Structures are given as C-alpha cells and as structure tokens.
Amino acid sequence: MEGPELLLEVKGLKTYFFLDEGTVKAVEGADFSLLRGGTLGIVGESGCGKTVTAYSITQLIESPGRIVEGQILFHRRLNGVEGSPATTEVVDLAKLRPGSRSICEIRGSEIAMVFQEPMTALSPVHTIGDQIMEVILLHRKVSKKEAREQTVEMLRHVGIPKSETRLDTYPFQLSGGMRQRAMIAMALMCRPSLLIADEPTTALDVTMQAQILELMKQLQREMGMAVILITHNLGVVAEVCEQVAVMYLGEVVEWADVEALFADPLHPYTQALLRSIPKLGQSKKGRLDPIKGMVPDPYNRPGGCPFHPRCAQMIAGRCDQERPPLVRRPDGRTVRCVLYADS
Amino acid sequence: MLQFILRRLLFIIPTFFVISFVTFIVIQLPPSDYAQTYVSGLLAQGDNIDAQATLKNLRDLYGIGEPAYVQYGKWMWGILTRGDFGMAFEYQQPVSFIIWERIEFTIVITLASLLVSWLIAFPVGIYSAVRQYSLGDYLSTFLAFIGISVPSFLMALVIMYILFKYFNITLGGLFSSQMEKAPWSLAKVVDFLQHTWLAILILGVSSTGGLIRTLRANLLDEMHKPYVITARAKGLPEWKVVIKYPLRLALNPFISGVGFTLPLLVNGSIIISVVMSLPLVGVMLLRSLQSQDMYLAGSLILITSLLTIIGVFLSDMLLAWVDPRIRYQ
Ligand SMILES: Nc1ncnc2c1ncn2[C@@H]1O[C@H](COP(=O)(O)OP(=O)(O)O)[C@@H](O)[C@H]1O
Ligand code: SF4
Ligand SMILES: [Mg+2]
C-alpha cells in the first residue's frame, strides 16, 4: 500500500461577489488540502468566508458571485473494471461551469453537503423520504423500490427510529435533531468520498450537538469518507478533526494538524482565537482574552495583512503595506504572516 | 384531512345563507310591487289572463306584502325545493328558465380563459425569474405591463377590426345560427371554439400580465431559500430543481386565487361581452340592475356567489393537497 492519498487540494481560491455597492472579496486566498478519509475543520468568525469556500468547492456560488481565481483539485476515483485497480483522475472543480453536467455528476454523489439549518434546508412540502430517495435515483441505477429500501436502511443507520414510517413524514413533523439526521442520511445515500458539513450543529441544542457530532464521527469511520467540518467553535474542531484551516476575512491564515495548532499556534490571529476560548483545567483566574477590535466590513478589507488593525505583533510599514506571503513550514503546515516569511 | 374537508364543507352553509340574505336585501330595495309590474306587463302584451287571480297567486307565492322575513323564507324555500328563483319581469319568464345556459357558458369561458392565461403565464413567469434581468426578462416585463394597462375591450376591437378588414372574418356570439339549437356534438364544440377563441384569448391574456409578475416575484422569493441550494447540492440539473422545489411553493398563491377567478371574470368580461356580443352572466346582471329586474339580479348574484364559495372550497382542497403544512394543521 502506498501512503495517504490526496483527495482535495484548494490552491489560491478567490471568490468575489460583484454587487452594485462594490466587490465583496468573500474568499481572498484559501489554501488547504485534505487526505482521502481525513477530517479537516474550517474555523473562523462569522462572515469570514467559510460558507463561501464550501459552496465554491461544489460550484454552488450564485450570481453575482463568481470564483475568480485558483484551483480546486478533486482526486476522483474511477471505479475500474472488476479486478483491475481503481484509478484516479484529477478534476479542477474551479474550472467547471456552475450547473454543468460534470459538476452535477459530482454533487450529491461524490461530494455531499449538510447545511446549518435542517428546517429551511429541507423542502417543507416534500416528504423526507422523497427528498432522500431522489439522490440515489438520480445518481445510481436503482428502481424506486430499491431506493426506498436503501433509504429506510440509511435512516435507520443514522439513528431515526421507525424509519419505515418516518420516510413518509414531512420535515416539520420531526424534531430539529431528527431533521439533521435525515439531512445526513440524504448526504450519505451515495457514499460520497467527501462530506462537507457547514455548521451542522449550530442550530441544535447542546446535547443534540454532541450526538450529531458523534454520529458523524461514527459514520465517517464506517464509510471511510473525508469530512470538511465548518464551524466557528474551536472546541468542536479539537474533538473531531485531524487538520484545521483557520480563516480570517476570506483568507486561510493558517493550516495545520490539530495537535500542532493547539500546541503551537503560529499566526497571531490563531493565537488570539485560542486565548479567547476556555481551556480544560484552566483556573478561574486565567482570563479569557476576547480579540480586540471588530471584524472590518467586507467592502473595506484592510490592505496588506487583513489582520493588521487588530494584530498585537503588527510591524508598521510592512504588515499594512504588503500582503504577507504564504509560508510553507518544513512540517507541511502553512501560515500567512510576515513573522515567518524569513525563516 | 377528512376533518379538514368536513370543517370547510360545514363552513359553506352559513356563508351561503349570509350571502343569500344580503342578496335578498338587494331585491327588496326598489319600492315597486313586482307582482303588479309583472301582471301589468302581461296585460299590456295583450295576454288573456285573469288579472286578479294571477296577482293573488304571485303575491302568495313570493309573500309580497308580508313581512320581509316571510318573503325571504318563501324565496329561499322556492329555490331550495323547486329551483324557483322568482320571476324575471323584463323577460316575462321565470328566472330559472333563462339563466342556466348563460351560467354554463360563463363557467366554460372562465375555465378556458384561465387555462389560456396559465399556459402563457407559467412558462414566461418561470423564464423571467430563472433568467432575472436577462433580455427575455425585460421583454416579458414590458409585454406584461402592456397587457395590464391596455383595456381588453380595446384589444378586442382592434383585433376584430383587423380580422374583418383583412381576413373577412366576423366574430361574435357563441355559435353560428345553424348550430345554435343543434344538440352537442364535436362539430358544435368546434363551432363554439371558432366563435369564442378570440374572447377566450383576450380574457386570458388580460389576466396574464398580472400572473406573470406574481409568479416571477413568488419564484424569486423561493429561489433563494436554503432548500433550493440543498436540491442543487444533490446534483439535480437546474431545471429539475426549479420545477420540483421553488415552483411548487410559488404555486400556492395561484391555487388559492383560483376560487376568485369567476367573480373577477363576471365583472371583467362585461365590456368584452358587449363588444363581442357574448351572452355571459355579467351583461345580464348589468341589464337586470338597470331595469330593476330584481329577482333576476338577486339570483345572478346569489348563484355567482355560491359558485365562488364552491370555487374557494375547491382551491382550499387543492392547496391542502399540495401543501402538507395546511393539511396537518
Ligand atoms: N450571496 C452573497 N452576496 C453578497 N455577499 C455575500 C453573499 N454570500 C456571502 N457574502 C459575503 O461573503 C462573506 C463571507 O460570507 P460567509 O462565507 O457566509 O461567512 P461564514 O464564514 O460566516 O460562513 C460575508 O462578508 C458575506 O457578506
Ligand atoms: S502579517 Fe503582520 S499584521 Fe498580519 S498577522 Fe502577521 S504580524 Fe500580524
Ligand atoms: Mg456560514
């Protein structure tokens, strides 16, 4: 067996929204990659471009938004003929036209998504069974009856009791947790190689959050798919993810293994972020440091390093002038900050 | 669901009585004695009748001269037991002899023009929303506003003129004279369509503009809801996404509006009916009001209202059928 295999590489991704009021640079340089079967967390404050990054990967960005630069290389496994080894082909998802045949073949079948609000993310006038079955009927050659059986099976798998009858209920007849389970079942119907979950637990209460995360971990182990988990909660990342990309104002400012990042955060923003959350075993006296200042509004991104107005280590004349380069460290982690540019 | 239907059905009965009562007050309004008017009319025509006996008969039948509630009771009793809506004095005939055919044609023309307006409005409205701010969207918006602002009778006159002048076609009425009394057959249906296609088209088109705008707005609202993104994320092609999800929800306002098409058409079709000499309910109602032919006017209002109530009931049922949130309330 060869070593871990790449699944997704995002390189220099930029996604802008061209509005009458100006251009919103929602994603302004996202770089990270993900191994087959791996788990990547994307963290950052609200509005920093996490959702836009996720939507860019599957070309779900709607006009007036557009991917303007960068590559999204998806290593797609082609199922070879019986006996012969599987081969992979690399597709640049950023080059595919939104709504084109090629991206539609990948969506739902190889890259599936779970969204934040399971109530609004499901159609209120179709049964959950109808909405889930549709995925497999679309991508696989199965009969209605087989699709129904597989859906019942999958619903049971994600922990929905009495799934034969739940199939015919409408989303508003289920609790929030059950709806999110149905949403996950829908995403997993075709056994995708990548699952993107955009704040899947944010809308749920705390006990439900833990259950859903546990379920996702369990399903990932069973199915061997890779997961991108988007969250603004570093605690969730620590618990679930192997790698993490920290975003600030549309940029991935740091990308590293989770242990390395928590043990030795490089980017001043990551450091501030870690100081702002409580740690296990931290004494009551140890104060939490909220990050000073506000997130600037997206029309007026600061020049140079976007974090410089809030950065304690800011080097005047440098950080506010030039865009910090993307620095790749010997251990493979990347960071976008001048402090590491010369090492 | 059954409970929902029953509740709605039960609701029809009090509504019907309230409307019939209001209608009756309308009938009561003119000061004259209908029976007297009717009998003098018969005598003036030289009918050989026993004036006193006829007068007494009519007064007993409709309770004229008795308190209003007795009159109302007798009118309703006549309608419910004998289908007798009273006398149409101007026509010298019972109301029930002269209205049913008109009501039938009005319903047929209403449904046909509704169909036409939907057939045009749906594809155009969907296109307009899906390709918002495209050339096609601007064009359809422009045409929709023209359709809304040009009076339909003017459109009818212009088209009739052109048809006559350049194609030597005259339109008007419902049938050609030889088909008028013929029993229903395929040929009669074709004849009917040959006479009424323009009226149906124009009545349909006159409501199309509004429909296009409503559908476009509804659909644009729905197109940006999260469940549409979910549908796209499944890999459905865009047209399937639109038809299965946002369109389905954008239809609700249409379905709930279906029930009101009839009264709108009764009112809206008067001028067109005059211009194209179509014997529809609207014209008859207008005339009966002008000539104070009160049982006729009252009956027309009553029946149109009843049909509207039934229409609203049906559209409620349809709505409950397509939208489970209503069904499971
Ligand atoms: N459809 C859109 N039109 C205009 N701006 C948008 C749109 N979607 C997102 N943005 C902007 O892009 C930025 C990133 O948004 P998002 O990715 O949703 O943030 P989050 O990290 O909270 O998921 C925000 O400033 C937001 O205002
Ligand atoms: S580049 Fe400068 S301003 Fe930006 S994070 Fe690094 S030190 Fe702070
Ligand atoms: Mg988001």
Side-chain angles (χ1 to χ4, degrees):
Chain A
M1 280 298 286
E2 66 264 58
E5 191 189 336
L6 268 175
L7 178 67
L8 186 77
E9 299 168 84
V10 175
K11 296 180 178 169
L13 177 69
K14 295 188 180 182
T15 304
Y16 294 174
F17 289 89
F18 300 92
L19 307 178
D20 293 339
E21 300 87 343
T23 303
V24 179
K25 298 180 174 175
V27 177
E28 176 69 350
D31 297 83
F32 55 83
S33 57
L34 176 62
L35 298 177
R36 195 171 282 281
T39 312
L40 171 79
I42 300 183
V43 281
E45 289 158 290
S46 164
C48 69
K50 305 183 293 293
T51 299
V52 174
T53 304
Y55 283 17
S56 299
I57 294 174
T58 44
Q59 285 286 1
L60 286 171
I61 299 293
E62 284 177 78
S63 170
R66 192 155 50 80
I67 296 176
V68 292
E69 230 183 278
Q71 289 181 309
I72 303 170
L73 303 179
F74 180 58
H75 297 248
R76 192 178 183 191
R77 195 175 264 176
L78 304 170
N79 284 331
V81 196
E82 196 89 24
S84 68
T87 50
T88 51
E89 124 192 286
V90 181
V91 203
D92 185 355
L93 302 178
K95 298 280 177 302
L96 300 181
R97 205 168 39 76
S100 62
R101 268 266 301 282
S102 346
I103 191 71
C104 284
E105 274 172 17
I106 293 174
R107 283 182 194 157
S109 141
E110 287 169 66
I111 305 180
M113 298 182 85
V114 170
F115 301 94
Q116 175 170 345
E117 233 310 331
M119 184 69 210
T120 54
L122 289 167
S123 158
V125 300
H126 297 85
T127 61
I128 57 165
D130 176 0
Q131 297 184 61
I132 297 174
M133 256 183 278
E134 183 178 44
V135 190
I136 194 149
L137 286 170
L138 184 69
H139 294 291
R140 302 282 183 265
K141 288 196 183 69
V142 292
S143 68
K144 273 234 165 83
K145 187 158 163 285
E146 286 165 328
R148 199 181 156 89
E149 279 160 11
Q150 291 185 28
T151 305
V152 170
E153 184 51 41
M154 185 58 83
L155 284 175
R156 193 176 6 247
H157 210 105
V158 299
I160 295 186
K162 296 205 246 32
S163 50
E164 304 81 8
T165 49
R166 286 295 166 80
L167 201 68
D168 297 314
T169 57
Y170 293 91
F172 61 87
Q173 295 173 301
L174 299 178
S175 69
M178 285 298 153
R179 277 197 288 267
Q180 196 59 295
R181 283 170 197 264
M183 194 76 206
I184 292 172
M186 179 193 292
L188 299 184
M189 278 312 281
C190 292
R191 310 210 159 224
S193 47
L194 173 60
L195 175 71
I196 303 177
D198 187 1
E199 314 227 16
T201 59
T202 307
L204 304 175
D205 62 50
V206 182
T207 47
M208 206 45 84
Q209 287 187 6
Q211 287 182 19
I212 295 287
L213 284 178
E214 194 44 55
L215 173 70
M216 286 181 57
K217 275 204 290 198
Q218 174 210 329
L219 291 167
Q220 180 182 21
R221 268 196 308 275
E222 288 171 14
M223 300 191 176
M225 69 201 162
V227 172
I228 294 182
L229 180 68
I230 295 175
T231 174
H232 57 257
N233 186 340
L234 270 175
V236 169
V237 170
E239 199 178 317
V240 180
C241 303
E242 291 152 7
Q243 288 178 310
V244 55
V246 180
M247 287 193 78
Y248 184 78
L249 272 188
E251 291 188 8
V252 172
V253 293
E254 182 164 4
W255 173 65
D257 286 346
V258 167
E259 292 88 33
L261 185 108
F262 277 85
D264 176 25
L266 296 180
H267 197 279
Y269 175 66
T270 316
Q271 294 165 1
L273 209 57
L274 285 176
R275 277 198 304 275
S276 73
I277 59 162
K279 281 186 199 61
L280 207 64
Q282 190 181 37
S283 71
K284 286 240 170 66
K285 270 177 278 162
R287 275 188 34 247
L288 295 179
D289 275 337
I291 306 173
K292 72 173 170 123
M294 295 272 294
V295 184
D297 81 84
Y299 296 105
N300 303 310
R301 282 181 98 254
C305 168
F307 190 54
H308 83 257
R310 298 169 81 188
C311 179
Q313 285 142 278
M314 196 265 270
I315 305 168
R318 189 145 178 225
C319 297
D320 50 356
Q321 298 297 325
E322 59 186 81
R323 180 152 192 250
L326 186 70
V327 182
R328 189 172 295 276
R329 310 269 291 179
D331 57 0
R333 28 191 313 197
T334 62
V335 57
R336 207 182 259 284
C337 170
V338 294
L339 298 177
Y340 305 92
D342 312 319
S343 57
Chain B
M1 184 68 189
L2 198 68
Q3 201 191 359
F4 176 82
I5 298 177
L6 283 178
R7 214 172 35 215
R8 285 300 155 111
L9 266 177
L10 281 181
F11 198 64
I12 291 185
I13 296 167
T15 319
F16 173 73
F17 280 105
V18 170
I19 290 175
S20 68
F21 192 73
V22 173
T23 317
F24 178 72
I25 292 173
V26 174
I27 296 177
Q28 279 277 300
L29 283 178
S32 61
D33 172 343
Y34 331 113
Q36 185 67 59
T37 325
Y38 178 64
V39 172
S40 350
L42 287 184
L43 289 174
Q45 281 188 348
D47 277 11
N48 191 10
I49 51 161
D50 178 350
Q52 283 314 312
T54 314
L55 205 57
K56 184 169 178 314
N57 258 341
L58 279 175
R59 285 194 168 143
D60 284 349
L61 194 56
Y62 299 117
I64 293 163
E66 292 179 60
Y69 66 88
V70 178
Q71 287 191 43
Y72 172 72
K74 289 201 163 174
W75 187 53
M76 284 313 290
W77 185 250
I79 293 172
L80 294 175
T81 57
R82 287 171 273 132
D84 174 9
F85 286 82
M87 279 291 171
F89 302 108
E90 199 187 351
Y91 295 80
Q92 302 288 340
Q93 278 179 44
V95 169
S96 53
F97 282 24
I98 52 176
I99 54 172
W100 290 115
E101 200 166 52
R102 277 183 185 247
I103 287 173
E104 273 164 31
F105 286 128
T106 307
I107 292 173
V108 168
I109 295 212
T110 304
L111 293 179
S113 63
L114 187 70
L115 196 69
V116 167
S117 66
W118 282 17
L119 282 180
I120 304 173
F122 277 114
V124 178
I126 294 170
Y127 179 87
S128 241
V130 174
R131 296 261 181 279
Q132 192 188 9
Y133 303 136
S134 67
L135 188 66
D137 179 29
Y138 284 122
L139 195 69
S140 90
T141 305
F142 177 70
L143 290 177
F145 279 122
I146 293 212
I148 292 169
S149 48
V150 174
S152 49
F153 77 89
L154 188 66
M155 222 183 296
L157 281 177
V158 171
I159 295 176
M160 281 165 78
Y161 175 78
I162 293 173
L163 284 177
F164 179 71
K165 177 110 199 248
Y166 298 101
F167 301 95
N168 201 22
I169 297 174
T170 45
L171 288 173
L174 296 174
F175 301 101
S176 50
S177 43
Q178 62 271 28
M179 279 293 181
E180 186 90 53
K181 294 276 178 283
W184 278 106
S185 63
L186 191 64
K188 187 162 177 176
V189 173
V190 171
D191 186 60
F192 176 73
L193 284 178
Q194 275 171 351
H195 279 77
T196 51
W197 64 269
L198 184 62
I200 291 172
L201 200 65
I202 285 177
L203 288 171
V205 165
S206 66
S207 56
T208 300
L211 279 182
I212 291 177
R213 297 303 294 167
T214 324
L215 183 61
R216 179 179 183 274
N218 289 346
L219 207 49
L220 282 176
D221 267 0
E222 294 294 333
M223 295 274 287
H224 297 289
K225 298 251 171 93
Y227 68 83
V228 182
I229 296 175
T230 309
R232 286 199 193 109
K234 287 179 192 174
L236 283 177
E238 186 65 20
W239 63 271
K240 269 196 191 162
V241 170
V242 173
I243 289 178
K244 180 163 178 186
Y245 293 101
L247 182 63
R248 172 81 182 266
L249 282 118
L251 285 185
N252 284 6
F254 282 83
I255 296 173
S256 51
V258 174
F260 293 103
T261 321
L262 182 68
L264 288 180
L265 195 100
V266 168
N267 294 332
S269 66
I270 294 181
I271 304 184
I272 277 257
S273 312
V274 172
V275 169
M276 304 189 71
S277 48
L278 299 173
L280 299 185
V281 166
V283 195
M284 192 183 233
L285 178 61
L286 183 68
R287 264 191 68 116
S288 65
L289 286 170
Q290 283 169 334
S291 60
Q292 295 202 352
D293 199 344
M294 295 324 286
Y295 277 113
L296 181 57
S299 305
L300 288 175
I301 295 174
L302 185 66
I303 291 167
T304 316
S305 308
L306 184 63
L307 288 172
T308 307
I309 300 175
I310 293 172
V312 171
F313 170 76
L314 289 180
S315 64
D316 277 357
M317 291 298 105
L318 212 56
L319 206 57
W321 183 56
V322 300
D323 193 336
R325 288 168 299 181
I326 297 171
R327 215 179 321 151
Y328 287 98
Q329 246 171 26

